[in-house]
Amino acid sequence: IMDNFDKVKDILSDVLGINEKKGSITAESSLLGGIPELDSMAVVNVVVALTEHFDITVNDDEINAKTFETLGSLVCFVEQKLAE
C-alpha cells in the first residue's frame, strides 16, 4: 500500500511532468525555488490534483510558500487536511 508521502510525490511528479527526477526527490527536497517546473499555475494544478485524490477541501488562504517549502511540508499539509 502506498503511503501518503509516495502518493503526494507521484501526484507532484505527474502534474509537473518530472517523472525522471522523481527518484531524487526526498522529504527535504525544496519545492518552490527548487523545482523550476513548479510555478504559480503548477501550484494550483497540484492542489487540485491533491484535493481530488485525497478528497480534501483546501481554501486559498491555506496555500502559501511554507506549504510548498519541501515535499515533507506538503505531505504534512495533506495529512493535516485528512485528519480534519
Side-chain angles (χ1 to χ4, degrees):
I1 294 177
M2 264 191 168
D3 63 13
N4 292 335
F5 178 85
D6 287 327
K7 196 63 218 169
V8 171
K9 186 170 161 178
D10 281 351
I11 290 170
L12 187 73
S13 300
D14 290 345
V15 171
L16 300 181
I18 56 166
N19 286 321
E20 73 283 351
K21 293 183 193 169
K22 191 163 81 173
S24 63
I25 299 174
T26 67
E28 292 78 39
S29 294
S30 292
L31 297 183
L32 282 177
I35 300 177
E37 293 83 356
L38 189 65
D39 58 18
S40 56
M41 279 309 300
V43 165
V44 172
N45 293 335
V46 168
V47 170
V48 169
L50 291 172
T51 58
E52 288 175 354
H53 176 79
F54 289 103
D55 195 27
I56 54 177
T57 303
V58 177
N59 301 316
D60 291 343
D61 62 353
E62 294 177 301
I63 300 300
N64 53 47
K66 200 152 180 61
T67 306
F68 277 87
E69 191 174 356
T70 63
L71 181 57
S73 64
L74 185 58
V75 172
C76 282
F77 175 76
V78 169
E79 291 181 337
Q80 285 171 346
K81 298 303 292 180
L82 287 169
E84 284 179 4

